Amino acid sequence: MMRIGASAETRGDWAAAAVFYGHAMQLRPDNADYVIAYANALMHNGHAEEAINAIHKAENYSSDHNKTQLTLFLARLLNTAHRSQEAIAALHPLIEQHPDSAPLRVALGVAYELSGDSPGAQQAYLTTLKIDPHNIAARNNLALSEALDGQNETARKALLALRTEAVETGAPASSLATIDGNLAIVYALEGNLTDARQAAQGAALNSEETRQNMRFYSFLHASQGTESASSSVLSD
């Protein structure tokens, strides 16, 4: 069932993927990977509430490790549904149990940022970096948060240094794309649309996405808006 669901997902047929992932989850309700695949398909089909309920139901069967996986994905779902305060509430009890979990701390920072609490977000990222000084997501998100607070030069220098390190250490393309997306935002906030365009090319999968991104960066420069920027390129 999982293989058929994965094949449907690859084709972009999220409705079929949800059906087959759902069958797999019913057979193995204790398997966090199955539950998350099903919830992800539901989310792509526009059924966020059903996806959230599926995660909550699966928590009854979960081991401690699975609980962390499920809570991280639940936080992502809640953030997507503009329910970041609920994401924060879901993360805190698990962080109390696992205070040295970098992924949980990063997820908390994302939820704080999306709820409008930049100081809380930055503190979460700084705490993460005490646990894992090389955590790309924490460094990336911290720089974006600083940029949205008006610290453009600090953010730009941090992101350029991070990108260099990420390339040297062979970080995945997805991490580089997120860094480039954040750099494009910083350049746009500084009024440097030429460098924003160049960074946007690294953040995009194709030329059409580059054009779409540039419309966003141009709008961002014109309006100096931050709300949509913070929800676009945060990593978790």
Side-chain angles (χ1 to χ4, degrees):
M1 292 295 180
M2 288 297 292
R3 289 182 180 179
I4 300 173
S7 177
E9 177 180 336
T10 301
R11 299 193 308 272
D13 187 350
W14 287 103
V19 171
F20 289 106
Y21 286 149
H23 288 317
M25 185 195 68
Q26 289 173 357
L27 295 171
R28 292 287 305 279
D30 60 332
N31 189 307
D33 291 334
Y34 289 13
V35 176
I36 289 171
Y38 175 58
N40 186 48
L42 287 175
M43 181 178 69
H44 277 84
N45 281 314
H47 303 304
E49 193 62 37
E50 290 181 43
I52 291 167
N53 289 338
I55 297 292
H56 281 311
K57 185 176 180 180
E59 289 173 335
N60 298 324
Y61 303 96
S62 63
S63 64
D64 191 53
H65 172 68
N66 285 351
K67 176 81 169 179
T68 299
Q69 285 183 272
L70 292 168
T71 302
L72 286 170
F73 195 77
L74 175 63
R76 184 184 301 178
L77 289 172
L78 290 168
N79 286 330
T80 301
H82 306 290
R83 293 159 59 178
S84 298
Q85 289 295 335
E86 292 179 52
I88 293 169
L91 288 162
H92 268 302
L94 211 54
I95 289 174
E96 290 178 5
Q97 297 174 34
H98 306 283
D100 293 333
S101 170
L104 288 172
R105 296 280 183 181
V106 170
L108 181 65
V110 171
Y112 274 135
E113 192 75 63
L114 294 176
S115 70
D117 184 354
S118 293
Q122 291 175 24
Q123 185 56 55
Y125 300 140
L126 289 170
T127 302
T128 303
L129 292 172
K130 290 179 181 178
I131 299 167
D132 177 9
H134 302 291
N135 190 288
I136 290 179
R139 292 173 65 186
N140 199 16
N141 291 357
L142 176 61
L144 175 62
S145 185
E146 289 171 339
L148 298 180
D149 269 352
Q151 303 174 55
N152 293 330
E153 183 177 359
T154 299
R156 173 168 36 81
K157 289 180 178 179
L159 287 168
L160 287 171
L162 177 58
R163 195 186 195 288
T164 298
E165 291 178 35
V167 171
E168 290 175 348
T169 57
S174 57
S175 294
L176 292 174
T178 307
I179 296 169
D180 285 338
N182 285 352
L183 273 170
I185 285 176
V186 173
Y187 286 133
L189 289 171
E190 293 178 323
N192 183 351
L193 293 183
T194 300
D195 283 344
R197 180 183 299 278
Q198 184 175 350
Q201 290 174 347
L205 296 175
N206 51 54
S207 58
E208 175 57 29
E209 193 168 301
T210 298
R211 285 192 292 272
Q212 292 175 355
N213 286 348
M214 280 311 301
R215 285 195 289 271
F216 166 69
Y217 300 133
S218 298
F219 167 78
L220 184 64
H221 167 55
S223 65
Q224 295 293 292
T226 60
E227 181 177 351
S228 59
S230 65
S231 64
S232 296
V233 288
L234 288 168
S235 346
D236 48 26

